[in-house]
């Protein structure tokens, strides 16, 4: 098995993401939406491409502010498709916009995207994939799994001997039991 921990150290893009974001618990809805969008944009591409385009994606999508993205229409899709700084895939762009709409409804029902995730935790990866496929669009197993690993909900972001893993365990909120992260139960 290849680990991100083996690739990332010292790399100008992978390193900071690995050391300070990947696998750490996230509760901010804009950050959660950004991570979900980045995983969608990554489908079929390398993570390095996504990390390099991340600042342009954030600017193009109004900082991934859900309430702004839900208002996007055809003119915005055309604007995004013309933006050479981002990943210009119409299906992915439309999925981000639709998922913002669905997130707005989830926030209306649960208070936040983070609360919705917490209300369903713990689930197996397969159960998470089924839930995300019912709740969002463009949700393959890899997109869902990587999203949940990136926000600390599923185990596997780091090896046990990775120095970042201990910092992640210390940062876990009470509902995100690190023992469950390790066992998957």
């Amino acid at each position: 098995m290849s680990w991100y921990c083996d690739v990332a150290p010292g790399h100008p893009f992978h390193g900071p993401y690995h050391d300070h974001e990947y696998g750490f618990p996230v509760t901010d809805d804009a950050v959660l939406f950004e991570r979900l969008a980045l995983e969608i944009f990554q489908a079929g591409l390398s993570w390095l491409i996504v990390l390099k385009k991340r600042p342009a994606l954030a600017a193009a999508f109004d900082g991934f502010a859900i309430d702004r993205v839900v208002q996007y229409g055809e003119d915005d899709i055309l604007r995004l498709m013309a933006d050479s700084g981002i990943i210009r895939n119409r299906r992915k762009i439309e999925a981000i916009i639709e998922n913002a709409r669905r997130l707005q409804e989830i926030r209306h029902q649960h208070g936040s995207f983070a609360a919705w995730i917490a209300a369903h935790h713990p689930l197996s990866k397969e159960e998470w994939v089924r839930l995300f496929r019912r709740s969002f669009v463009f949700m393959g197993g890899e997109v869902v799994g990587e999203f949940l690993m990136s926000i600390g909900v599923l185990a596997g972001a780091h090896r046990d001997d990775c120095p970042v893993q201990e910092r992640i365990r210390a940062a876990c909120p009470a509902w995100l039991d690190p023992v469950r992260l390790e066992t998957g139960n």
Side-chain angles (χ1 to χ4, degrees), residues 53 108 114 131:
K53 292 189 177 278
H108 200 63
L131 176 64

Side-chain angles (χ1 to χ4, degrees), residues 25 121 152-156 160 165-185:
H121 184 72
V153 172
L154 285 182
D160 284 339
Q165 184 67 9
E166 192 55 41
R167 292 191 358 248
I168 289 171
R169 283 189 187 104
C172 280
W175 67 268
L176 192 57
D177 181 353
V179 172
R180 287 195 188 123
L181 281 176
E182 297 307 314
T183 64
N185 296 320

Side-chain angles (χ1 to χ4, degrees), residues 2-144:
S2 177
W3 287 91
Y4 197 46
C5 305
D6 297 328
V7 177
H11 191 279
F13 291 95
H14 290 300
Y17 181 74
H18 169 272
D19 293 349
H20 303 288
E21 294 183 75
Y22 189 56
F24 285 88
V26 176
T27 57
D28 180 271
D29 277 2
V31 176
L32 289 167
F33 180 44
E34 177 194 26
R35 294 281 183 86
L36 187 63
L38 294 178
E39 293 299 341
I40 289 169
F41 278 120
Q42 188 274 327
L45 302 173
S46 78
W47 187 239
L48 181 57
I49 290 170
V50 174
L51 289 176
K52 285 181 176 180
K53 292 189 177 278
R54 187 179 190 186
L57 287 163
F61 282 88
D62 289 308
F64 293 99
I66 296 166
D67 293 330
R68 289 187 187 150
V69 176
V70 298
Q71 297 173 16
Y72 285 10
E74 186 61 30
D75 288 345
D76 293 292
I77 293 170
L78 294 174
R79 170 185 59 84
L80 292 164
M81 289 297 295
D83 187 340
S84 63
I86 71 167
I87 296 163
R88 296 181 290 180
N89 178 302
R90 188 176 182 99
R91 283 188 59 229
K92 292 177 181 183
I93 290 168
E94 289 173 344
I96 303 306
I97 297 166
E98 177 59 27
N99 286 337
R101 293 178 179 130
R102 293 178 183 208
L103 278 171
Q104 193 174 51
E105 182 59 31
I106 283 172
R107 289 186 328 170
H108 200 63
Q109 293 174 356
H110 295 271
S112 70
F113 188 18
W116 180 83
I117 292 169
H120 290 93
H121 184 72
L123 296 174
S124 68
K125 180 182 176 186
E126 295 75 23
E127 292 167 323
W128 280 115
V129 170
R130 282 193 296 274
L131 176 64
F132 270 73
R133 283 185 174 160
R134 283 192 314 266
S135 305
F136 301 102
V137 297
F138 212 98
M139 292 292 118
E142 191 71 18
V143 168
V144 174

